[in-house]
Coordinates of all heavy atoms in Angstrom, one line a residue:
M25 N 37.3 77.0 92.9 CA 36.4 78.1 92.4 C 35.6 77.5 91.2 O 36.2 76.9 90.3 CB 37.3 79.2 91.9 CG 36.5 80.3 91.2 SD 37.5 81.8 90.9 CE 36.4 83.0 91.2
I26 N 34.3 77.8 91.2 CA 33.5 77.3 90.1 C 33.2 78.5 89.2 O 32.8 79.5 89.6 CB 32.2 76.7 90.7 CG1 32.4 75.5 91.5 CG2 31.2 76.4 89.5 CD1 31.2 74.9 92.2
I27 N 33.3 78.2 87.9 CA 33.0 79.2 86.8 C 31.9 78.6 86.0 O 32.1 77.5 85.4 CB 34.2 79.5 86.0 CG1 35.2 80.2 86.9 CG2 33.8 80.4 84.8 CD1 36.5 80.6 86.1
K28 N 30.7 79.2 86.0 CA 29.6 78.8 85.1 C 29.9 79.5 83.7 O 29.7 80.7 83.5 CB 28.3 79.3 85.7 CG 27.9 78.5 86.9 CD 26.6 78.9 87.4 CE 26.2 78.1 88.6 NZ 25.5 76.8 88.3
I29 N 30.3 78.6 82.8 CA 30.7 79.1 81.5 C 29.6 79.8 80.7 O 29.8 80.7 80.0 CB 31.4 78.0 80.7 CG1 32.3 78.6 79.6 CG2 30.3 77.0 80.1 CD1 33.2 77.6 79.0
K30 N 28.3 79.4 81.0 CA 27.2 80.0 80.3 C 27.1 81.5 80.8 O 26.8 82.4 80.0 CB 25.9 79.3 80.7 CG 24.6 79.9 80.0 CD 23.4 79.2 80.5 CE 22.9 79.9 81.7 NZ 21.6 79.6 82.1
D31 N 27.3 81.7 82.0 CA 27.3 83.1 82.5 C 28.5 83.9 82.2 O 28.4 85.1 82.0 CB 27.1 83.1 84.1 CG 25.8 82.5 84.5 OD1 24.9 82.4 83.7 OD2 25.8 82.0 85.7
E32 N 29.6 83.2 82.1 CA 30.9 83.9 81.8 C 31.0 84.3 80.3 O 31.5 85.3 79.9 CB 32.1 83.0 82.2 CG 33.4 83.7 82.2 CD 33.5 84.8 83.3 OE1 33.0 84.7 84.4 OE2 34.1 85.8 83.0
I33 N 30.5 83.4 79.4 CA 30.6 83.6 78.0 C 29.3 83.6 77.4 O 28.8 84.7 77.0 CB 31.5 82.5 77.3 CG1 32.9 82.5 77.9 CG2 31.6 82.7 75.8 CD1 33.8 81.4 77.4
N34 N 28.6 82.4 77.3 CA 27.3 82.3 76.6 C 26.9 80.9 76.6 O 27.7 80.0 77.0 CB 27.5 82.8 75.1 CG 26.2 83.2 74.5 OD1 25.1 82.6 74.8 ND2 26.2 84.1 73.5
S35 N 25.6 80.6 76.2 CA 25.2 79.2 76.2 C 25.6 78.6 74.8 O 25.5 77.4 74.6 CB 23.7 79.1 76.4 OG 23.0 79.8 75.3
S36 N 26.0 79.4 73.9 CA 26.5 78.9 72.6 C 28.0 79.3 72.5 O 28.3 80.5 72.4 CB 25.7 79.5 71.5 OG 26.1 79.1 70.2
L37 N 28.9 78.4 72.5 CA 30.3 78.6 72.6 C 30.9 78.5 71.2 O 31.2 77.4 70.7 CB 31.0 77.6 73.5 CG 30.4 77.6 74.9 CD1 31.1 76.6 75.8 CD2 30.6 79.0 75.6
D38 N 30.9 79.7 70.5 CA 31.3 79.7 69.1 C 32.7 80.0 68.7 O 33.3 79.5 67.8 CB 30.4 80.7 68.3 CG 28.9 80.3 68.3 OD1 28.6 79.2 68.3 OD2 28.1 81.3 68.4
F39 N 33.3 81.0 69.5 CA 34.5 81.6 69.1 C 35.7 81.2 69.9 O 35.6 81.2 71.1 CB 34.4 83.1 69.1 CG 33.2 83.6 68.3 CD1 32.1 84.1 69.0 CD2 33.3 83.6 66.9 CE1 31.0 84.5 68.2 CE2 32.2 84.0 66.2 CZ 31.0 84.5 66.8
N40 N 36.8 80.8 69.2 CA 38.0 80.4 69.9 C 38.6 81.5 70.8 O 39.1 81.2 71.8 CB 39.1 79.8 69.0 CG 39.5 80.8 67.9 OD1 38.9 81.8 67.7 ND2 40.5 80.4 67.2
K41 N 38.4 82.8 70.4 CA 38.9 83.9 71.3 C 38.2 83.9 72.7 O 38.8 84.2 73.6 CB 38.6 85.2 70.6 CG 39.2 86.4 71.4 CD 39.5 87.5 70.6 CE 40.0 88.8 71.4 NZ 40.5 88.6 72.7
S42 N 36.9 83.4 72.7 CA 36.2 83.4 74.0 C 36.9 82.4 74.9 O 37.0 82.6 76.1 CB 34.8 82.9 73.8 OG 34.1 83.8 73.0
A43 N 37.4 81.3 74.4 CA 38.1 80.3 75.2 C 39.5 80.9 75.7 O 39.8 80.7 76.9 CB 38.4 79.0 74.4
T44 N 40.2 81.5 74.8 CA 41.5 82.1 75.2 C 41.3 83.2 76.3 O 42.1 83.3 77.2 CB 42.3 82.6 74.1 OG1 41.6 83.5 73.2 CG2 42.8 81.4 73.2
D45 N 40.2 84.0 76.0 CA 39.9 85.1 77.0 C 39.6 84.5 78.4 O 40.0 85.0 79.4 CB 38.8 86.0 76.5 CG 39.2 86.8 75.3 OD1 40.4 87.0 75.1 OD2 38.2 87.4 74.7
L46 N 38.8 83.4 78.4 CA 38.4 82.7 79.6 C 39.7 82.3 80.4 O 39.8 82.5 81.6 CB 37.5 81.5 79.3 CG 37.2 80.7 80.6 CD1 36.3 81.4 81.6 CD2 36.5 79.4 80.1
F47 N 40.6 81.7 79.7 CA 41.8 81.2 80.4 C 42.7 82.4 80.8 O 43.4 82.3 81.8 CB 42.6 80.2 79.5 CG 42.0 78.8 79.7 CD1 40.9 78.4 79.0 CD2 42.5 78.0 80.7 CE1 40.3 77.1 79.2 CE2 41.9 76.7 81.0 CZ 40.8 76.3 80.2
D48 N 42.7 83.4 80.0 CA 43.5 84.6 80.4 C 43.0 85.1 81.8 O 43.7 85.4 82.7 CB 43.4 85.8 79.4 CG 44.2 85.5 78.2 OD1 45.0 84.6 78.2 OD2 43.9 86.2 77.2
K49 N 41.6 85.1 82.0 CA 41.0 85.5 83.2 C 41.4 84.5 84.3 O 41.8 84.9 85.4 CB 39.5 85.6 83.0 CG 38.8 86.0 84.3 CD 37.3 86.2 84.1 CE 36.6 86.6 85.4 NZ 35.2 86.8 85.2
I50 N 41.2 83.2 84.0 CA 41.5 82.2 85.0 C 42.9 82.3 85.5 O 43.2 82.2 86.7 CB 41.2 80.8 84.4 CG1 39.7 80.6 84.3 CG2 41.9 79.7 85.3 CD1 39.3 79.3 83.6
N51 N 43.9 82.5 84.6 CA 45.3 82.5 84.9 C 45.7 83.7 85.8 O 46.7 83.7 86.5 CB 46.1 82.4 83.7 CG 46.1 81.0 83.1 OD1 45.8 80.0 83.7 ND2 46.2 81.0 81.8
R52 N 44.8 84.8 85.7 CA 45.1 86.0 86.6 C 44.5 85.8 88.0 O 44.9 86.6 88.9 CB 44.5 87.2 85.9 CG 45.3 87.7 84.7 CD 44.9 89.0 84.2 NE 43.4 89.2 84.0 CZ 42.8 89.0 82.8 NH1 43.5 88.7 81.7 NH2 41.5 89.1 82.6
I53 N 43.6 84.9 88.2 CA 43.0 84.7 89.5 C 43.9 83.9 90.4 O 44.5 82.9 90.0 CB 41.6 84.0 89.4 CG1 40.7 84.8 88.6 CG2 41.1 83.6 90.7 CD1 39.4 84.1 88.2
N54 N 44.0 84.3 91.7 CA 45.0 83.7 92.6 C 44.3 82.5 93.2 O 44.2 82.4 94.5 CB 45.4 84.8 93.7 CG 46.6 84.3 94.5 OD1 47.3 83.4 94.0 ND2 46.7 84.8 95.6
E55 N 43.9 81.5 92.4 CA 43.4 80.2 92.9 C 44.1 79.2 92.0 O 44.6 79.5 90.9 CB 41.9 80.1 92.6 CG 41.0 81.1 93.4 CD 40.7 80.6 94.8 OE1 40.8 79.3 95.0 OE2 40.4 81.4 95.6
S56 N 44.2 78.0 92.5 CA 44.9 76.9 91.7 C 43.9 75.9 91.2 O 44.2 75.2 90.3 CB 46.0 76.2 92.6 OG 45.4 75.7 93.7
E57 N 42.7 75.8 91.8 CA 41.7 74.8 91.4 C 40.5 75.5 90.8 O 39.9 76.4 91.5 CB 41.3 74.0 92.6 CG 42.5 73.3 93.4 CD 42.9 72.0 92.7 OE1 42.0 71.3 92.1 OE2 44.0 71.6 92.8
F58 N 40.1 75.0 89.7 CA 38.9 75.6 89.0 C 38.0 74.4 88.5 O 38.5 73.4 88.0 CB 39.3 76.4 87.8 CG 39.9 77.7 88.2 CD1 41.2 77.8 88.5 CD2 39.1 78.9 88.4 CE1 41.8 79.0 88.8 CE2 39.6 80.1 88.8 CZ 41.0 80.2 89.0
I59 N 36.7 74.7 88.6 CA 35.7 73.8 88.1 C 34.9 74.6 87.0 O 34.4 75.7 87.4 CB 34.7 73.2 89.1 CG1 35.5 72.3 90.1 CG2 33.6 72.4 88.4 CD1 34.7 71.9 91.3
I60 N 35.0 74.2 85.8 CA 34.2 74.8 84.7 C 32.9 74.1 84.6 O 32.9 72.9 84.2 CB 35.0 74.9 83.4 CG1 36.5 75.4 83.6 CG2 34.3 75.7 82.4 CD1 36.5 76.8 84.1
D61 N 31.8 74.8 84.9 CA 30.5 74.2 84.8 C 29.8 74.6 83.5 O 29.6 75.7 83.2 CB 29.6 74.8 86.0 CG 28.3 74.1 86.1 OD1 27.9 73.3 85.2 OD2 27.7 74.3 87.1
F62 N 29.6 73.5 82.7 CA 29.0 73.7 81.4 C 27.5 73.6 81.4 O 26.9 73.5 80.3 CB 29.6 72.6 80.4 CG 30.9 73.0 79.9 CD1 32.1 72.8 80.7 CD2 31.1 73.5 78.6 CE1 33.4 73.1 80.2 CE2 32.4 73.9 78.1 CZ 33.5 73.7 78.9
E63 N 26.9 73.6 82.5 CA 25.4 73.5 82.6 C 24.8 74.6 81.8 O 25.2 75.8 81.9 CB 24.9 73.6 84.1 CG 23.4 73.5 84.2 CD 23.0 73.6 85.7 OE1 23.7 74.2 86.5 OE2 21.9 73.2 85.9
G64 N 23.8 74.3 81.0 CA 23.1 75.3 80.1 C 23.7 75.6 78.8 O 23.2 76.3 78.0
V65 N 24.9 75.0 78.5 CA 25.6 75.2 77.3 C 24.9 74.2 76.2 O 24.9 73.0 76.4 CB 27.1 75.0 77.3 CG1 27.8 75.0 76.0 CG2 27.7 76.0 78.3
S66 N 24.4 74.8 75.2 CA 23.7 74.0 74.2 C 24.5 73.8 72.9 O 24.1 72.9 72.1 CB 22.4 74.7 73.8 OG 22.7 76.0 73.3
F67 N 25.6 74.5 72.7 CA 26.4 74.4 71.5 C 27.8 74.7 71.8 O 28.1 75.6 72.5 CB 25.9 75.3 70.4 CG 26.7 75.3 69.1 CD1 26.7 74.2 68.2 CD2 27.7 76.3 68.9 CE1 27.5 74.2 67.1 CE2 28.5 76.3 67.8 CZ 28.4 75.3 66.9
I68 N 28.7 73.9 71.2 CA 30.1 74.2 71.2 C 30.7 74.0 69.9 O 30.5 72.9 69.3 CB 30.8 73.4 72.3 CG1 32.3 73.9 72.5 CG2 30.7 71.9 72.1 CD1 33.0 73.3 73.7
S69 N 31.5 74.9 69.4 CA 32.1 74.8 68.1 C 33.4 74.0 68.2 O 34.0 74.0 69.3 CB 32.4 76.1 67.4 OG 33.4 76.8 68.1
M70 N 33.9 73.4 67.2 CA 35.1 72.7 67.2 C 36.3 73.6 67.5 O 37.2 73.3 68.2 CB 35.4 72.0 65.8 CG 36.6 71.1 65.8 SD 36.4 69.6 66.8 CE 35.3 68.7 65.8
S71 N 36.2 74.8 66.9 CA 37.3 75.8 67.1 C 37.3 76.3 68.6 O 38.4 76.5 69.2 CB 37.2 77.0 66.2 OG 36.0 77.8 66.5
F72 N 36.2 76.4 69.3 CA 36.1 76.8 70.7 C 36.8 75.6 71.5 O 37.6 75.9 72.4 CB 34.7 77.1 71.2 CG 34.7 77.4 72.7 CD1 34.7 78.7 73.0 CD2 34.6 76.4 73.6 CE1 34.8 79.0 74.4 CE2 34.6 76.7 75.0 CZ 34.7 78.1 75.4
A73 N 36.3 74.4 71.2 CA 36.9 73.3 72.0 C 38.4 73.1 71.8 O 39.1 72.9 72.8 CB 36.2 72.0 71.5
Q74 N 38.9 73.3 70.6 CA 40.3 73.3 70.4 C 41.1 74.3 71.1 O 42.1 74.1 71.7 CB 40.6 73.4 68.9 CG 40.2 72.1 68.1 CD 40.2 72.3 66.6 OE1 40.1 73.5 66.1 NE2 40.3 71.2 65.9
A75 N 40.6 75.6 71.1 CA 41.2 76.7 71.8 C 41.1 76.4 73.3 O 42.0 76.7 74.1 CB 40.5 78.0 71.4
Y76 N 40.0 75.9 73.8 CA 39.8 75.6 75.2 C 40.9 74.6 75.7 O 41.5 74.9 76.7 CB 38.4 75.0 75.4 CG 38.1 74.7 76.9 CD1 37.5 75.6 77.7 CD2 38.4 73.4 77.4 CE1 37.3 75.3 79.1 CE2 38.2 73.1 78.7 CZ 37.6 74.0 79.5 OH 37.4 73.7 80.9
Y77 N 41.0 73.5 75.0 CA 42.0 72.5 75.4 C 43.4 72.9 75.2 O 44.3 72.6 76.1 CB 41.7 71.1 74.8 CG 40.6 70.4 75.5 CD1 39.4 70.2 75.0 CD2 40.9 69.9 76.8 CE1 38.4 69.5 75.6 CE2 39.9 69.2 77.5 CZ 38.6 69.1 76.9 OH 37.7 68.4 77.6
A78 N 43.7 73.7 74.2 CA 45.1 74.2 74.0 C 45.4 75.2 75.2 O 46.5 75.1 75.7 CB 45.2 74.9 72.7
S79 N 44.5 76.0 75.5 CA 44.7 77.0 76.7 C 44.8 76.2 78.0 O 45.6 76.6 78.8 CB 43.5 78.0 76.7 OG 43.5 78.8 75.5
K80 N 44.0 75.2 78.1 CA 44.0 74.4 79.4 C 45.3 73.7 79.5 O 45.9 73.7 80.6 CB 42.9 73.4 79.3 CG 42.8 72.5 80.6 CD 41.7 71.5 80.5 CE 41.7 70.6 81.7 NZ 40.6 69.6 81.7
R81 N 45.9 73.2 78.4 CA 47.2 72.5 78.5 C 48.3 73.5 78.9 O 49.3 73.1 79.6 CB 47.5 71.9 77.2 CG 46.7 70.7 76.9 CD 47.0 70.1 75.6 NE 48.1 69.2 75.7 CZ 48.7 68.6 74.7 NH1 48.3 68.8 73.5 NH2 49.7 67.8 74.9
R82 N 48.2 74.8 78.5 CA 49.2 75.8 78.8 C 49.0 76.4 80.2 O 50.0 77.0 80.8 CB 49.2 76.9 77.8 CG 49.7 76.5 76.5 CD 49.9 77.7 75.5 NE 48.7 78.4 75.3 CZ 47.8 78.2 74.3 NH1 48.1 77.3 73.4 NH2 46.7 78.9 74.2
S83 N 47.8 76.2 80.8 CA 47.5 76.8 82.1 C 48.2 76.1 83.2 O 48.2 74.9 83.3 CB 46.0 76.9 82.3 OG 45.7 77.4 83.5
P84 N 48.7 76.8 84.2 CA 49.3 76.1 85.4 C 48.2 75.7 86.4 O 48.5 75.1 87.4 CB 50.2 77.3 86.0 CG 49.5 78.5 85.6 CD 48.9 78.3 84.2
K85 N 47.0 76.0 86.1 CA 45.9 75.8 87.0 C 45.3 74.3 86.8 O 45.4 73.7 85.7 CB 44.7 76.7 86.8 CG 45.1 78.2 86.8 CD 45.6 78.7 88.1 CE 45.9 80.2 88.0 NZ 46.1 80.8 89.2
N86 N 44.7 73.8 87.9 CA 44.1 72.5 87.8 C 42.6 72.7 87.5 O 41.9 73.3 88.3 CB 44.2 71.7 89.1 CG 43.7 70.4 89.1 OD1 43.5 69.8 88.0 ND2 43.4 69.8 90.2
I87 N 42.2 72.3 86.3 CA 40.9 72.6 85.8 C 40.1 71.3 85.5 O 40.6 70.4 84.8 CB 41.0 73.5 84.5 CG1 41.7 74.8 84.9 CG2 39.6 73.7 83.9 CD1 42.2 75.6 83.8
T88 N 38.8 71.3 86.0 CA 38.0 70.2 85.8 C 36.6 70.7 85.2 O 36.2 71.8 85.6 CB 37.7 69.5 87.1 OG1 38.9 69.1 87.8 CG2 36.8 68.2 86.9
E89 N 36.1 69.9 84.3 CA 34.8 70.3 83.6 C 33.7 69.4 84.3 O 33.9 68.2 84.5 CB 34.8 70.0 82.1 CG 35.8 70.9 81.4 CD 37.3 70.4 81.5 OE1 37.5 69.2 81.7 OE2 38.2 71.2 81.3
I90 N 32.5 70.0 84.4 CA 31.3 69.3 84.9 C 30.1 69.7 84.1 O 30.2 70.7 83.4 CB 31.0 69.6 86.4 CG1 30.8 71.1 86.7 CG2 32.2 69.0 87.3 CD1 30.2 71.3 88.1
N91 N 29.1 68.9 84.1 CA 27.8 69.1 83.5 C 27.9 69.3 82.0 O 27.3 70.2 81.4 CB 27.1 70.3 84.1 CG 26.7 70.1 85.6 OD1 26.4 68.9 85.9 ND2 26.9 71.1 86.4
L92 N 28.7 68.4 81.3 CA 28.8 68.5 79.9 C 27.5 67.8 79.3 O 27.2 66.7 79.6 CB 30.0 67.8 79.3 CG 31.3 68.4 79.8 CD1 32.5 67.4 79.5 CD2 31.6 69.7 79.1
S93 N 26.8 68.5 78.4 CA 25.5 68.0 77.9 C 25.9 67.0 76.8 O 27.0 66.8 76.4 CB 24.7 69.1 77.3 OG 25.3 69.6 76.1
D94 N 24.8 66.2 76.4 CA 25.0 65.2 75.3 C 25.4 65.8 74.0 O 26.0 65.1 73.2 CB 23.7 64.4 75.1 CG 23.3 63.6 76.3 OD1 24.2 63.3 77.1 OD2 22.2 63.2 76.4
E95 N 25.2 67.1 73.8 CA 25.6 67.8 72.6 C 27.1 68.3 72.7 O 27.8 68.3 71.7 CB 24.7 69.0 72.3 CG 23.3 68.7 72.0 CD 22.4 68.4 73.2 OE1 22.7 68.8 74.3 OE2 21.4 67.7 73.0
V96 N 27.5 68.6 73.9 CA 28.8 69.2 74.1 C 29.9 68.1 74.4 O 31.0 68.2 73.9 CB 28.8 70.2 75.3 CG1 30.2 70.7 75.6 CG2 27.9 71.4 74.9
K97 N 29.5 67.1 75.1 CA 30.5 66.1 75.6 C 31.2 65.4 74.5 O 32.5 65.3 74.5 CB 29.8 65.1 76.5 CG 30.7 64.1 77.2 CD 30.0 63.3 78.2 CE 31.0 62.4 78.9 NZ 30.3 61.6 80.0
P98 N 30.6 64.9 73.4 CA 31.3 64.3 72.3 C 32.4 65.1 71.7 O 33.5 64.7 71.3 CB 30.3 63.8 71.3 CG 29.0 63.9 72.0 CD 29.1 64.9 73.1
I99 N 32.1 66.4 71.5 CA 33.0 67.3 70.8 C 34.2 67.5 71.7 O 35.3 67.5 71.3 CB 32.3 68.6 70.4 CG1 31.3 68.4 69.3 CG2 33.3 69.7 70.0 CD1 30.4 69.5 69.1
M100 N 33.9 67.8 73.0 CA 35.0 68.0 74.0 C 35.9 66.8 74.1 O 37.1 66.9 74.1 CB 34.5 68.4 75.3 CG 33.7 69.7 75.4 SD 34.8 71.1 75.2 CE 35.4 71.2 76.9
E101 N 35.3 65.6 74.1 CA 36.1 64.3 74.2 C 36.9 64.1 73.0 O 38.1 63.7 73.1 CB 35.2 63.1 74.5 CG 34.6 63.1 75.9 CD 33.6 62.0 76.1 OE1 33.1 61.4 75.1 OE2 33.3 61.7 77.3
M102 N 36.4 64.4 71.8 CA 37.1 64.2 70.5 C 38.3 65.1 70.5 O 39.4 64.7 70.1 CB 36.2 64.4 69.4 CG 36.9 64.2 68.0 SD 35.7 64.4 66.6 CE 35.2 66.0 66.8
V103 N 38.1 66.4 70.8 CA 39.2 67.3 70.8 C 40.3 67.0 71.8 O 41.5 67.0 71.5 CB 38.7 68.8 70.9 CG1 39.8 69.8 71.1 CG2 37.8 69.2 69.7
E104 N 39.9 66.6 73.0 CA 40.8 66.3 74.0 C 41.7 65.1 73.6 O 42.9 65.1 73.7 CB 40.1 65.9 75.3 CG 41.0 65.6 76.5 CD 40.3 65.4 77.8 OE1 39.2 64.9 77.7 OE2 40.9 65.6 78.8
K105 N 41.1 64.1 72.9 CA 41.8 62.9 72.4 C 42.8 63.3 71.3 O 43.9 62.8 71.3 CB 40.9 61.8 72.0 CG 40.2 61.1 73.1 CD 39.2 60.1 72.6 CE 38.4 59.5 73.7 NZ 37.3 58.6 73.3
Q106 N 42.4 64.2 70.5 CA 43.2 64.6 69.3 C 44.5 65.3 69.9 O 45.6 65.2 69.3 CB 42.5 65.6 68.4 CG 41.5 64.9 67.5 CD 40.7 66.0 66.7 OE1 40.7 67.2 67.0 NE2 40.0 65.5 65.7
L107 N 44.3 66.1 70.9 CA 45.4 66.9 71.5 C 46.3 66.1 72.3 O 47.4 66.5 72.6 CB 44.9 68.1 72.2 CG 44.2 69.2 71.4 CD1 43.6 70.3 72.3 CD2 45.2 69.8 70.4
M108 N 45.9 64.9 72.7 CA 46.8 64.0 73.5 C 47.9 63.4 72.6 O 48.9 62.9 73.1 CB 46.0 62.9 74.1 CG 45.0 63.4 75.2 SD 44.0 62.2 75.9 CE 45.1 61.2 76.9
F109 N 47.7 63.3 71.3 CA 48.7 62.7 70.4 C 49.6 63.8 69.8 O 49.5 64.9 69.7 CB 48.0 62.0 69.3 CG 47.2 60.8 69.8 CD1 45.8 60.8 69.9 CD2 47.8 59.7 70.3 CE1 45.1 59.8 70.3 CE2 47.1 58.6 70.8 CZ 45.7 58.7 70.8

């Protein structure tokens, strides 16, 4: 299942609650594979990225991200690396 995060939340991902709400919704859906499409997202806050990856780690779903822009990708990669340790 593909979720376009711009349509689901916004093109500016500011609030960590938005990330936790997204995963609450994903975890209620009776699918096991999800693709989160970041096309059109122009900004992501550090707190959103941290909440996103923390929620992703707790989720039983298999989640993949696509279309990370040059503005979003470095923040997502940095947070993902931080949470690996």
